Amino acid sequence: MTLDASNAPARLGVQLQPQHATYSQIRDAVLRMEDLGVDVVFNWDHFFPLTGERDGLHFEAWTMLGAWAEQTERVEFGTLVNCNSYRNADLQADMARTLDHISAKGGDTGRFIFGTGSGWFERDYDEYGYEFGTVGSRLDDLAEALPRVKARWAKLNPAPTRDIPIMIGGKGEQKTLRLVAEHADIWHSFVAPGDLRHKLDVLARWGEKVGRDVTEITVSNELDRRGLDDEHADALYDAGVRLFTIGISGPHYEDTAVRHWLEWRDRKNGGRRADAA
C-alpha cells in the first residue's frame, strides 16, 4: 500500500537531543532552527544521555517544551517521543493541552504535536523508580493510555485549540501498528525504504479491522545518520514518507546537515518551504 501523500508537502523535523549542552545552548538552537525554516522541532523523553558521556549534561523533556512553546512563533514542536510509562495518561493529556494553548499566538491554533511511545531505555526506569516490565506490557499500557488521553482532551476546560496531532513511534506489527491505525495522525519509524511497503500493507489491514482510513496518516521517518544521502531520502519520499527527521546533539547543534535537508525539502516542494507549499 502507498499512502495518499502525493499532494502533501515534504516537511523537515529536527530533534534537538537535550544532552551534552547547557540550556542556553538548547534555547539558542531552537531559535536558530525556527529561523532556518524547519517545520518541527523535537526533543526526546529520557533522563540521561543516549550517546557520549553516560552521565553528561541532560534535561527533562516536558518542562523544556513549555519554554519552546513560548519562545517560538511558527514552528511545530513536541517530543520524539514521549515515554508513556513516566506520567499518568490524564496528566499527559492536560500537559499537552496546556502546551497547545501556550503555543497559540495571535489567535492562531496551537502547534504542539503529541508524540508518544511505550518506552525502552531501561536505565531511565531503574534510576527513576518505574517498573520496566516487558515490551508487551509497556505496549499494553500505551494501548490503555491513548483512549484516556483523548477522553481527557474532550473534558478539559478550556479545550485544546485544535485536534492535537498524535504521533506514535515504532514498527511492531502485532500491537504498535494497530495503535497507529486506531489513534495516530503521524506514524514515525526507522523502517528502511525497501521495507515500508510491507509495513504500510500491515497498517492498511489494521485500518480495515478498526474501521479507519489510514491513508490520512502522515508517514514519518529518520534521515540517514551516516551522511547526506539524497538517494536514501528520495527512496523514502517515493515510498510515501512526508515528514523527515534528523537528530543533532549538543553542545553545538551543528546545522550543516539541517541546511542540506532544508534545501532538499524545498526542491521536493517545487522550490517552496513546506509551510508555503
Side-chain angles (χ1 to χ4, degrees):
M1 183 194 77
T2 301
L3 294 194
D4 185 18
S6 57
N7 295 319
R11 305 177 76 224
L12 182 69
V14 176
Q15 184 188 57
L16 298 171
Q17 300 163 358
Q19 61 178 8
H20 309 307
T22 64
Y23 187 70
S24 64
Q25 291 171 312
I26 296 172
R27 181 180 59 240
D28 291 347
V30 173
L31 289 174
R32 183 156 38 97
M33 292 304 110
E34 183 167 58
D35 288 345
L36 284 172
V38 304
D39 300 291
V40 190
V41 287
F42 295 108
N43 59 16
W44 66 31
D45 191 16
H46 296 289
F47 305 132
F48 302 95
L50 297 186
T51 61
E53 169 54 48
R54 71 187 306 268
D55 292 317
L57 299 175
H58 198 277
F59 290 96
E60 193 276 329
W62 279 81
T63 45
M64 181 183 296
L65 293 178
W68 291 11
E70 189 63 54
Q71 80 174 90
T72 58
E73 298 290 335
R74 175 195 58 80
V75 71
E76 289 190 289
F77 67 99
T79 294
L80 187 62
V81 290
N82 168 65
C83 178
N84 176 68
S85 305
Y86 301 158
R87 302 163 193 88
N88 169 281
D90 292 83
L91 174 61
Q92 293 178 53
D94 204 341
M95 293 163 69
R97 182 280 310 259
T98 300
L99 289 170
D100 169 72
H101 277 265
I102 294 171
S103 64
K105 304 290 179 68
D108 292 336
T109 57
R111 295 171 285 118
F112 176 68
I113 295 173
F114 181 64
T116 194
S118 58
W120 63 274
F121 190 40
E122 190 168 3
R123 185 186 180 191
D124 284 347
Y125 287 80
D126 291 346
E127 295 216 28
Y128 277 60
Y130 296 106
E131 181 181 351
F132 189 56
T134 65
V135 172
S137 69
R138 294 194 300 276
L139 281 166
D140 290 342
D141 289 343
L142 179 61
E144 188 270 338
L146 284 165
R148 287 177 56 190
V149 168
K150 294 197 288 190
R152 180 57 56 186
W153 283 340
K155 297 176 182 177
L156 287 169
N157 184 17
T161 68
R162 65 172 180 169
D163 292 331
I164 296 174
I166 295 174
M167 167 190 276
I168 295 177
K171 63 178 183 178
E173 297 181 9
Q174 297 305 310
K175 292 187 177 183
T176 302
L177 289 182
R178 175 168 186 154
L179 293 177
V180 172
E182 287 183 303
H183 301 291
D185 301 287
I186 306 167
W187 169 49
H188 180 80
S189 78
F190 299 85
V191 174
D195 298 326
L196 267 174
R197 179 175 293 276
H198 168 70
K199 294 293 184 181
L200 292 173
D201 285 342
V202 173
L203 180 60
R205 291 196 293 273
W206 278 122
E208 292 172 358
K209 289 183 179 180
V210 303
R212 170 97 184 274
D213 177 10
V214 298
T215 62
E216 65 190 21
I217 298 172
T218 297
V219 180
S220 172
N221 205 299
E222 188 86 1
L223 289 164
D224 198 330
R225 296 183 180 185
R226 295 169 296 179
L228 305 179
D229 187 347
D230 286 16
E231 184 177 352
H232 177 82
D234 290 342
L236 289 173
Y237 182 91
D238 292 343
V241 175
R242 288 299 181 269
L243 177 57
F244 299 82
T245 63
I246 179 173
I248 56 176
S249 181
H252 302 301
Y253 297 105
E254 169 60 45
D255 60 24
T256 300
V258 175
R259 292 173 184 271
H260 173 88
W261 292 120
L262 285 169
E263 293 176 359
W264 177 89
R265 176 203 67 185
D266 293 347
R267 290 197 302 272
K268 289 297 182 185
N269 294 335
R272 297 170 294 172
R273 281 177 25 170
D275 58 3

